[in-house]
Amino acid sequence: MDSPRTHDIGWELYRSCLAVLREGSLSAAARALGLTQPTIGRHIAALEEALGLVLFTRSQQGLLPTEAALALQSHAEAMGHAAAALVRAAHAQGGGVRGTVRVSASHVIGTEVLPPVLARLQAEHPELTVELALSDRMHDLLQREADIAIRMAEPRQEALVARRVGAVDLGLHAHPDYLRRQGTPQSLADLEGHRLIGFDAETPFIRSARQRFPAWQRERFSLRSDSDLAQLACIRAGLGLGICQTGLALRAPALVRVLPGDFAWGLETWVVMHEDLRHSPRCRATFDALVAGLQRYLADGAGVPA
């Protein structure tokens, strides 16, 4: 049974523990948190005493987490997300659209699509601060990892408010210089003689693509990267044929779409937030701006043709 003392442990102790888990040493954790190394050490010692656990052992590589520390990590991270969400909500108090909103998106969407949308949003609401969390993994809105997320799959959790904005058109593209050197494929069979750009790790996306396009498999890729942004850069540099959004292919340097009748599909796009935030002015304004901005992007040539 838990000791009463374990219910009174301050968040700062867990925060220091989480920093050491992430950074690997007391000194690095201290720099990350803006504290001193002795303070971090005292926090770890106090947390170990309160929990009755050994959380770290010393080695030549630094502090190594024990199984107990690793078991606590996800819970400490959830506390951290909740604490950050609390601060965002506190800063937003008062009239109007103000404070901080955290938006989650993929690297490609966050880098290539959202900046002008966010520029318009902040021009309309100058007291609004945006935290843009870019990752190709799905942030957990229920755990408050973000306030709003742009997702390429329909959300299933009932506690989320979701708006479908449309389907992003994906196709096979190449730089004109590459096609001048290697020729333009006229059929899927012609891909055998071309350099393909694709993922390194096996993903649901690759498995889905391979079902429709058997040639699209890891062993065939002459350049592999798990970053959509890196793949796009390589296509633009003329390294080979790769999949990208048609809306991005229209931008400089303009890319050429190949085999449009054989190699195409739509990626459903949603804007999502926790239902508890639907009445937050900062989140409502951001949610609406993202929906409108993404709809403009799709209407300008990035959406699946009607």
Side-chain angles (χ1 to χ4, degrees):
M1 186 174 182
D2 290 344
S3 164
R5 293 181 60 191
T6 62
H7 298 291
D8 298 327
I9 299 172
W11 155 241
E12 70 277 4
L13 303 189
Y14 289 111
R15 184 181 65 163
S16 292
C17 177
L18 186 57
V20 175
L21 281 166
R22 289 171 171 169
E23 304 296 334
S25 70
L26 295 178
S27 57
R31 287 192 297 271
L33 296 180
L35 300 174
T36 66
Q37 181 172 334
T39 297
I40 299 294
R42 286 194 296 270
H43 286 175
I44 298 301
L47 183 60
E48 288 180 327
E49 181 181 0
L51 295 175
L53 298 171
V54 175
L55 299 176
F56 297 94
T57 58
R58 294 187 178 277
S59 74
Q60 293 181 345
Q61 290 75 38
L63 290 182
L64 297 180
T66 64
E67 290 186 9
L70 295 175
L72 294 178
Q73 184 168 1
S74 62
H75 301 290
E77 288 174 342
M79 293 172 68
H81 297 317
L86 185 151
V87 171
R88 293 196 296 271
H91 288 171
Q93 295 308 300
V97 177
R98 61 190 303 272
T100 301
V101 61
R102 186 171 179 84
V103 177
S104 166
S106 70
H107 286 97
V108 165
I109 293 293
T111 302
E112 296 278 341
V113 180
L114 292 190
V117 178
L118 298 177
R120 179 179 296 192
L121 171 66
Q122 291 191 310
E124 295 176 357
H125 304 289
E127 293 187 84
L128 184 67
T129 298
V130 177
E131 293 178 356
L132 193 54
L134 301 187
S135 174
D136 290 327
R137 77 171 182 87
M138 192 175 296
H139 284 95
D140 191 340
L141 298 183
L142 300 183
Q143 294 294 329
R144 295 299 199 272
E145 290 186 1
D147 297 317
I148 301 173
I150 297 170
R151 292 184 176 173
M152 301 318 202
E154 183 177 1
R156 301 296 183 184
Q157 298 97 326
E158 294 182 358
L160 299 180
V161 176
R163 175 79 178 274
R164 180 186 180 274
V165 297
V168 173
D169 189 27
L170 299 179
L172 194 61
H173 293 81
H175 191 281
D177 289 346
Y178 172 84
L179 296 178
R180 279 192 289 269
R181 294 193 310 268
Q182 303 294 331
T184 301
Q186 301 301 313
S187 68
L188 290 176
D190 290 346
L191 295 180
E192 186 66 31
H194 282 270
R195 301 180 66 83
L196 304 182
I197 298 169
F199 287 93
D200 182 28
E202 182 80 1
T203 67
F205 179 84
I206 287 183
R207 289 191 288 271
S208 174
R210 190 165 54 239
Q211 289 178 356
R212 303 178 64 177
F213 314 109
W216 207 253
Q217 48 187 303
R218 183 183 183 278
E219 292 73 19
R220 286 282 295 107
F221 300 149
S222 61
L223 189 143
R224 304 180 186 125
S225 174
D226 291 330
S227 166
D228 287 337
L229 202 56
Q231 289 187 32
L232 177 60
C234 291
I235 299 170
R236 286 172 170 167
L239 272 71
L241 297 165
I243 297 173
C244 79
Q245 299 178 24
T246 56
L248 302 183
L250 299 174
R251 301 178 179 180
L255 303 176
V256 178
R257 186 166 188 175
V258 301
L259 304 177
D262 298 317
F263 207 109
W265 71 92
L267 198 59
E268 294 290 325
T269 306
W270 301 74
V271 180
V272 190
M273 72 177 173
H274 197 289
E275 63 180 0
D276 290 349
L277 300 176
R278 68 166 70 234
H279 300 300
S280 163
R282 64 188 169 91
C283 292
R284 187 77 254 177
T286 304
F287 185 95
D288 292 342
L290 291 173
V291 169
L294 289 170
Q295 288 176 336
R296 286 193 299 270
Y297 170 64
L298 296 182
D300 288 342
V304 173

